[in-house]
Amino acid sequence: MYADVILPLPFSDLYTYSVPVEMRDKITRGSRVIVPFGNRKYYTAIVYKIQETAPKGFKVKEIHSLSDSEPIVNEQQLKLWEWISYYYLSPLGDVYKTALPSSLKSEDLKSKFKPKTETFIRINPGKDAANITGIIGRAVKQKFLYNQIQDILTDNKKEHISRKEVSELAGYSVSVLNGLIKKEVLQTIEVETGRLNTGIKPIRKPHPLNDFQQKAFNEIIDCFENRQTCLLHGVTSSGKTEIYIHLIEEALSLGKQTLYLVPEIALTTQLTQRLQAVYGSKIGIYHSKINDNERAEIWNKMLSDEPYEIILGVRSSLFLPYQQLGLVIIDEEHEMSYKQQEPSPRYHARDTAIMLAHFYNAKTILGSATPSLESYFNTRNGKYGIVTLQERYRNILMPEIKIENTFELRKRKKMKSLLTPALIEQMKLILENGEQVILFRNRRGFASLIECEQCAWSPKCKRCDVTLTYHKKRNRLICHYCNASYPMPVICPSCNSENLKTLGQGTEQLEEEVERLFPDYIVGRMDLDTTRGKDAYEKIIDDFQSKRIHILIGTQMLSKGLDFENVGIVGIISSDSLLNYPDFRSHERGFQLMMQAAGRAGRKNRQGKVIIQSADPDQPVYGYISKYDYEGFFNSQMAERRMFNYPPFCRLISIILKHKTEQKVDAGSDYLAALLRQSFSDSVQGPSKPIVSFIQRYHLREILLKLDYNLSIKKTREIIKSAETRFHTNKDFKYIMIHFDVDKV
Ligand code: ADP
Ligand code: ZN
Ligand code: ZN
C-alpha cells in the first residue's frame, strides 16, 4: 500500500511513501502523517491518495508515523485545495501551508499544546469579613481597591476575579494590590482556562426586519431557489448585517453552519459584539491576531461533535474543516484586500469562498454598498442573482457630499492648513454639538517624502527602489515595502545642505495639525502603526464609540463597514491620491473608498455631511460620487474596461520574474514572453518594469497575460506550466524565480 502525500514544500505537488502494515486500516485520504524527507528531515504531511501500485523507477521511503486516529482534513477541503492550486497556479504544498495552523503542521503536537492558565484574585476565605477592615487599617488606597473588588464579586455572584480585570480598576496599582496580598486579605489562584470563549450567553433575539429589509430577505430566499449566489446591493446603513443574521437563522434551523467572511480584522471587532449578542458561544472567531494555539483549538473544535455553528473571520477562515456548511456570507465583497498578495497561493477569498460553497452545496450571499465591477457584471449576465436595498434603516438620509476645490483655494491663498476653511468651520459646529468627526488620509506616517531643498535629493531604501516615509514619533525613515528603518539624516548626504523639507502629508501629520486646530478635543488615529497589538483595534474603536475620542483620523482601514452612531461629518483629505495611482482599478477603488467613507456619516437622528478635498474636482468620478450614482459609475467604467480590454472582459494573469542581477532578469523575461507568445500571441504584454521594480535586492519584471474568457482554464494552465518548465530547463534561467498572480487586483 502506498500513499501520495502533500508536503509543505513549494516544488512539486505530491510525494509517494509506502504505508507500514500496522497503519493500513487507519490511514485514509486527509490523514496527517509524519514522513522523512531529504537527509534526516521530517515533515508533517497530509495524505492525498492511497493506492496499491508501487511507483516505478525509484525506491520509496516509509511513512514514519500517523498523527491522529481520524483524518484532520475532509473531502471538501481537499477539493478546495486542489482547485486553488489549479486555478491560481500554485503548488499544493503552498496551499497546505496556508490552510493549516502552524502548530498542526509541526511534528510534535503534544508539546506545542500547553493548557492555558490565568491568575485570579479572591478574598481570603480564611479571614473573617469583619476583621478585614481592621487588617487594612488606615491604608486608604488599599481600602478603596478592596471595596471595589468586593463590590464586583458580590454584584456578579463570583468567587474570584481575574488579575487582568483588577488591573483595569480605578484604584489599582501594583503596590496597592501586593499590599493587600501581603496582608493576606486577598489571595492569588491559578485557574485553567480554555483558550476558546465558552459559556457566552446570547442576550437577545435577532431584531425584527423592517418592511424593506423583509422584502429584500424574501427576495434572497427566492433567489436561492434557483441560484447558488446572490448579490445584496444595499446602501450603507440599510441593515445588511441584520439581513445576514436572519439568513443565519435560516441556516441554523436547517442544522447548517455559516461562514461569515469580512475583509479586515478591524471589522471583526464590532461584528463579534453584534453576533455574540445573538449567538453567544455558537460563534467562533478566526483571524491572524488569534494566536496559533487558539487556531489549532478552533480547528479541532470544528472537527469535533460540537463544532462552531458560525465562523466569523478573514480569508484564512475559508480553510477550516466545516462539516455542514450551508451559508457563506461575504461582507463588503468589493474589498480588494480579499485578494492574497504574498505569499503564494495568491487566491481571491471571495471567488474561493464561492467555490467552497459549491463543494458543500451551500448558498453564498455577497454584500456591498459599492459592489465590485466583476460581481455586478455577474448579476447582469445572470450568473448571480441580485437584490437591492436603497433605504437606510429608519429612513435616515444619505449624507450630503460636497467637493471642495483645493487647487482654487490654494491659488486664492485660502488654504492655511491641510483642511479647507469650510471643513474646519463645519467641524467646529459639529463638535460643539457633541457629535464626532472622522478624517481620512490614505497614507500613514508623518510625511510621504523628505526632499533636499537645494539639490532635490530624497532618501531611498537600499534594498528596494522606493522613497522612504518619515515617521515622526519614531523619528525614523521607514520603507513601506520591506519595513526597513533608517535614521533621519540631519544634513543632505548629497550636497550637505541642512534644508531638508517634508512633502506630502500622512496620517501622523494630519493628527498633529488637527490637535493644533482643535486643542479642546481628543484626537485618535487608526492606521497600521497604531494597531499592531492584539487588542489595538478594539481599543480605538471602543474609545470612539464611547466618545472618549472626538476626532478620529485614519487610513482606509477606517472606511470599511464600521458602524458609528454619532458621526456628524466625514472629511476626505487629498482624495486625488486615491485616483492617480497608475492602475486600471484606481477609479473603482477610489469610488468605493469615498462612498464607503461617506457612509460612516450621519447614521442616527440626522443627515450627516461629507467634505471631499480635491485639487482636481472635474474628474467624472466625483460627479458620480456626489450623486450616489453607482449605475452611472458602473456603466462608464465598463465602457473603459471594454475598450482597453481589462477585466471583467478578460482574465488577467500577472507573471513576475525575480533575480538579483538585472541583465539576467531582463534576458529571462524576454525569453519567457517569447515562449508564451507562441501560444497566446497578442494576449501577452511586456515584459515591463513594475511600478516598483527593485524590492529587497531583487530586480523584478512583469509579463501580463490578458486572456480571452473563452479559453479554458485547463488549456491556459497547460500552456503556462509547459512554458515554465521549458524556461527553467534552460540553464541560464534556472535560478530566476517566477511567480503567478491570477486575477491580479
Ligand atoms: P449595513 O450593514 O447595511 O451598513 P447595519 O446592519 O450595520 O447596516 O445597520 C445600521 C444600523 O441600523 C445598525 O446600528 C443596526 O443595528 C441598525 N438596524 C438596522 N436594521 C435594524 C432592524 N431591523 N432593527 C434594529 N436595528 C436595526
Ligand atoms: Zn525596502
Ligand atoms: Zn542636497
Side-chain angles (χ1 to χ4, degrees), residues 30-48:
S31 293
R32 186 162 59 136
V33 290
I34 291 169
V35 296
F37 187 85
N39 285 337
R40 288 200 233 161
K41 259 207 140 136
Y42 284 85
Y43 284 107
T44 301
I46 300 293
V47 175
Y48 181 80

Side-chain angles (χ1 to χ4, degrees), residues 451-458 491-500:
E451 196 182 271
C452 170
E453 275 192 88
Q454 301 273 336
C455 75
W457 170 86
S458 53
I491 55 166
C492 170
S494 159
C495 74
N496 289 334
S497 151
E498 286 177 15
N499 295 331
L500 295 173

Side-chain angles (χ1 to χ4, degrees), residues 434-451:
E435 292 173 48
Q436 290 163 295
V437 177
I438 290 182
L439 297 176
F440 285 95
R441 175 69 178 94
N442 202 27
R443 193 176 276 149
R444 68 195 161 103
F446 186 77
S448 13
L449 198 62
I450 302 287
E451 196 182 271

Side-chain angles (χ1 to χ4, degrees), residues 403-416:
I403 320 276
E404 285 264 306
N405 187 337
T406 53
F407 181 79
E408 279 297 318
L409 288 165
R410 269 207 187 89
K411 223 166 68 184
R412 301 199 331 251
K413 306 238 176 320
K414 292 269 167 62
M415 286 290 284
K416 300 208 167 57

